[in-house]
Amino acid sequence: MWAPEMQHGHQYVAGYEIYVDGHPFWWGHLALRMEDGDPLVGDPQGLLDRLCALAAQRHEVSAAQVRLKMVSRL
């Protein structure tokens, strides 16, 4: 049985757009789970950078082309 109080770690969902030549070209969503000991748990900018890197890797573009539209902690 799943219960939120039994979960460890931090879970996030993000919506993003990929920009090519200054125009939105792709969009998507991704989820990220970090364990309690992950150094990014206390580093908001590091979390945003990781989300951008994951989206960029998914679409084979640079992280600078990713614009995060929404980030929520679950």
Side-chain angles (χ1 to χ4, degrees):
M1 182 170 149
W2 179 85
E5 63 272 9
M6 296 173 65
Q7 287 265 322
H8 296 285
H10 303 267
Q11 299 177 50
Y12 299 89
V13 64
Y16 63 87
E17 292 179 333
I18 303 293
Y19 277 73
V20 176
D21 296 326
H23 301 285
F25 194 72
W26 288 298
W27 63 270
H29 296 89
L30 57 86
L32 175 66
R33 179 184 167 97
M34 296 188 309
E35 295 302 322
D36 288 332
D38 191 310
L40 293 184
V41 168
D43 180 8
Q45 186 61 54
L47 169 64
L48 297 176
D49 292 344
R50 183 180 287 179
L51 291 168
C52 286
L54 290 170
Q57 182 180 19
R58 179 182 286 177
H59 296 281
E60 298 179 355
V61 298
S62 74
Q65 291 176 272
V66 176
R67 179 181 292 175
L68 295 174
K69 304 297 283 182
M70 170 277 301
V71 176
S72 296
R73 182 172 173 195
L74 304 176

